[in-house]
Amino acid sequence: MNTDELKLNKPYKYIDLCKTLSEPQTQGGRNRKLQLERWATYFEFEKKGQTYIVSKLKNPPLINRTGGSQKFKSLKLLLIDELNFRNKLSGSMKMILNQIKIDNNFKLIADKLNAPNFELAENYLQANSNYLKLEKSIFNSLVMEINQKLKEVFSSALNSLQKQGLISFEEGYFIEPKLLANRFATAAETKLIKSIKKEELKQLAVEYGLPAEKVNYFVVAVKNDSQKFYNRVNETLLKNYSFSCLSYRYSIELTKQLNPENQLIIEEKAQLIDEFKTNLKDYFEVKFNKPSNSEWGEPLNAETQKEIKKILLDFFFD
């Protein structure tokens, strides 16, 4: 959508208006109706016969809160709002994030997942069930699944916002060189990190007595060896290359400031956070309708696994 060349009070045929706005032409019906509704968020217009007359330009919301796919739209709205808030505090249009640690509410979720506490989760399960027992393998596999989904929806939200021209971003391994400031890894350093991770997985496969192709990050998590794995990777990096890998992060820069009237109020923000949590829980509950016993240490039957994991979703997202 480009309104720079739009002339007020000039009659446009539909095809000419689409060209002026750099918009695709629709064939009428529902698609045309949705397109006109979207145009109405950018400018006021009137249709007279076969022409459209634009009378006033508007300041549209950066993200349309109605229409389009609703799934995880809450995350995009919250991201833009947080970027704008930080811009007002610091004057900087840029911030560096580790997944969804964008405010205290999301930080609580992320902290639970980055440093999962088995004992707290076990106590929560016992308090909400009369008979279920928590296996560490099930707990670790759920943490891994949630983290993978969070990374997926976070990257999807960033790509969508970038396509809309609202942000620019880069992502990659964030490293800590000896005696130097922390920064993103170069392409060569990224290649090194991936190579060392691959070798450490092979070493763990030997220790597990398993074929190398059968051992991945999920297996390491289920075996409760994630911390050991990353410690080994960093030991090798520090010894041979004088830097350690802190985490995978995102550097995001706001390219358009939010219009004041579109800033989220406290109640809206709370509602969007609840929507985001609900979307995640719904996603996993649908997924758990078809659970399968894993080769890697989930001895419980499918229905018991599903029941345990549903209770744990409340532990992570309530």
Side-chain angles (χ1 to χ4, degrees):
M1 169 73 70
N2 181 2
T3 60
D4 292 346
E5 303 299 322
L6 201 57
K7 300 287 193 289
L8 298 183
N9 302 314
K10 173 184 174 180
Y12 288 93
K13 290 183 179 179
Y14 174 73
I15 187 172
D16 296 325
L17 186 53
C18 286
K19 287 179 181 176
T20 302
L21 297 170
S22 300
E23 281 277 295
Q25 297 176 44
T26 62
Q27 296 303 311
R30 182 173 181 275
N31 288 340
R32 177 74 61 83
K33 181 174 180 290
L34 290 173
Q35 184 182 46
L36 295 178
E37 286 176 357
R38 185 164 55 82
W39 285 0
T41 66
Y42 289 84
F43 50 82
E44 293 180 7
F45 65 92
E46 180 183 3
K47 186 179 179 186
K48 289 190 175 180
Q50 298 301 311
T51 62
Y52 297 81
I53 299 174
V54 178
S55 57
K56 181 181 178 183
L57 293 178
K58 295 180 179 179
N59 289 323
L62 289 181
I63 302 173
N64 188 4
R65 301 190 195 187
T66 62
S69 172
Q70 296 300 312
K71 195 170 186 181
F72 297 116
K73 181 178 283 189
S74 51
L75 179 57
K76 290 191 284 185
L77 286 163
L78 289 162
L79 264 172
I80 283 291
D81 191 72
E82 181 67 15
L83 282 161
N84 195 63
F85 174 72
R86 293 192 185 202
N87 167 242
K88 286 182 177 178
L89 280 182
S90 66
S92 173
M93 299 284 275
K94 182 180 285 190
M95 69 177 178
I96 294 176
L97 298 177
N98 178 3
Q99 286 198 195
I100 61 164
K101 286 190 177 182
I102 55 176
D103 69 359
N104 286 335
N105 292 283
F106 279 130
K107 187 177 183 299
L108 290 173
I109 298 173
D111 285 348
K112 274 187 181 179
L113 292 164
N114 290 338
N117 189 312
F118 177 78
E119 186 177 343
L120 284 179
E122 192 172 39
N123 292 340
Y124 185 91
L125 183 68
Q126 289 173 354
N128 289 277
S129 166
N130 293 324
Y131 66 93
L132 292 175
K133 187 176 186 308
L134 183 58
E135 298 284 341
K136 198 154 220 175
S137 59
I138 289 179
F139 177 67
N140 290 338
S141 67
L142 180 60
V143 170
M144 185 78 169
E145 285 181 278
I146 294 174
N147 271 318
Q148 286 178 330
K149 186 60 183 177
L150 285 175
K151 185 174 180 181
E152 175 191 318
V153 298
F154 193 76
S155 294
S156 175
L158 291 178
N159 277 302
S160 176
L161 293 171
Q162 182 163 260
K163 284 179 182 176
Q164 294 177 61
L166 305 178
I167 66 167
S168 62
F169 79 97
E170 61 177 320
E171 58 183 297
Y173 292 109
F174 206 66
I175 66 170
E176 184 177 24
K178 281 185 179 177
L179 306 177
L180 295 171
N182 299 346
R183 58 174 173 78
F184 280 97
T186 64
E189 289 164 339
T190 297
K191 190 175 180 179
L192 274 174
I193 293 167
K194 289 180 177 179
S195 174
I196 290 168
K197 281 186 169 183
K198 190 174 180 180
E199 290 304 311
E200 290 298 339
L201 285 176
K202 287 180 182 178
Q203 179 58 38
L204 284 173
V206 172
E207 294 174 21
Y208 296 155
L210 296 170
E213 65 273 12
K214 291 286 188 179
V215 177
N216 53 29
Y217 300 127
F218 180 80
V219 174
V220 173
V222 168
K223 297 275 190 184
N224 207 36
D225 279 342
S226 292
Q227 194 59 55
K228 178 168 77 173
F229 169 74
Y230 286 108
N231 286 345
R232 286 183 178 183
V233 168
N234 276 327
E235 284 169 10
T236 303
L237 287 169
L238 278 169
K239 179 181 177 181
N240 298 327
Y241 305 103
S242 298
F243 71 85
S244 59
C245 180
L246 298 173
S247 61
Y248 197 86
R249 298 189 185 180
Y250 303 83
S251 175
I252 310 166
E253 185 166 6
L254 189 66
T255 55
K256 287 184 180 179
Q257 288 183 312
L258 211 62
N259 297 320
E261 64 267 25
N262 292 313
Q263 190 82 45
L264 295 175
I265 60 175
I266 293 173
E267 291 80 7
E268 284 181 309
K269 194 166 186 176
Q271 181 183 349
L272 287 168
I273 289 168
D274 286 342
E275 282 179 23
F276 180 71
K277 291 178 181 178
T278 299
N279 285 336
L280 278 169
K281 287 171 69 175
D282 288 348
Y283 166 83
F284 281 107
E285 288 189 5
V286 169
K287 185 176 182 182
F288 295 157
N289 283 332
K290 296 180 180 179
S292 59
N293 283 324
S294 167
E295 183 179 350
W296 310 113
E298 290 192 6
L300 301 176
N301 67 61
E303 286 305 311
T304 305
Q305 284 185 52
K306 182 167 71 173
E307 193 170 350
I308 289 172
K309 288 182 175 180
K310 281 188 174 181
I311 293 173
L312 289 183
L313 287 180
D314 291 331
F315 168 72
F316 284 113
F317 295 117
D318 275 1

